[in-house]
Amino acid sequence: MLMVLFLLITACSNGSLQPLDSPSREFLTEQGYEIIRQEDPVYEHKLTREDLTQLPHQMYWSVQSVDAAVYIGKMIYTTKFYVTNHPLERAPSNPQDQTIVCVMQTENEVIGGYSLPDLDSPTDGGVYSLDGRTLEEFSGMNYGTWKRQWDEKYN
């Protein structure tokens, strides 16, 4: 019995078999968010330059601190979390008192992510930065200026 338990522990503790979301969970905890629950990676894809010219990718990458061009050709894994202790949970339009945070990563490196209120019905609005800022607050530019610069870079 002890031998079987030892083998199970040894097999499951192999560093190369860590769950993909482990860095994401750690990252969110370090940001001060309390994780209520998580979903398996909700989106996995190889980022292309064309992605960066189309919605929804443009929206997701608009509130990142990293240069999206660095990740072209790489697999991006997005994991969805429900968290508390986030600025958006206090928004009057957020009846759930929790926030959806999507963390993007390549392999085991967290790139960033985005957040949105946990609404009863989805909206057509954009996403917020990980810490709940709008595109304008995050970039310091209005949407038109940001979009023009983005299109010059990726089109």
Side-chain angles (χ1 to χ4, degrees), residues 20 24 41-49 51-52 57 61 66 68-79 103-112:
L20 185 61
S24 296
V42 293
Y43 191 61
E44 300 177 12
H45 76 286
K46 184 181 252 185
L47 185 65
T48 66
R49 181 170 286 279
D51 288 337
L52 298 174
H57 301 284
W61 286 92
V66 296
V70 172
Y71 297 96
I72 292 173
K74 295 185 179 180
M75 287 297 294
I76 308 297
Y77 304 90
T78 303
T79 304
V103 178
M104 302 183 325
Q105 67 182 68
T106 63
E107 298 307 318
N108 288 324
E109 174 196 358
V110 173
I111 297 169

Side-chain angles (χ1 to χ4, degrees), residues 21 23-25 27-28 31 33 35 37-43 56 59-61 63-64 76-83 86 88 99-105 110-118 126-132:
D21 63 330
S24 296
R25 289 184 69 84
F27 175 76
L28 288 178
Q31 301 299 309
Y33 304 132
I35 298 170
R37 75 176 196 267
Q38 91 174 63
E39 296 180 5
D40 288 336
V42 293
Y43 191 61
M59 231 175 15
Y60 302 152
W61 286 92
V63 291
Q64 304 310 310
I76 308 297
Y77 304 90
T78 303
T79 304
K80 183 178 184 179
F81 296 88
Y82 292 82
V83 304
H86 188 281
L88 291 180
T99 302
I100 296 171
V101 175
C102 295
V103 178
M104 302 183 325
Q105 67 182 68
V110 173
I111 297 169
Y114 51 92
S115 61
L116 55 152
D118 185 14
V127 298
Y128 298 83
S129 66
L130 270 173
D131 61 359

Side-chain angles (χ1 to χ4, degrees), residues 1 14 28 33-34 65 74 79 95 99 111 123 126 140 145 151:
M1 177 73 163
N14 181 343
L28 288 178
Y33 304 132
E34 181 182 336
S65 298
K74 295 185 179 180
T79 304
T99 302
I111 297 169
T123 66
T145 302
D151 288 345

Side-chain angles (χ1 to χ4, degrees), residues 128 132-141:
Y128 298 83
R133 292 180 287 160
T134 63
L135 168 66
E136 290 81 8
E137 293 167 332
F138 182 81
S139 69
M141 296 181 260

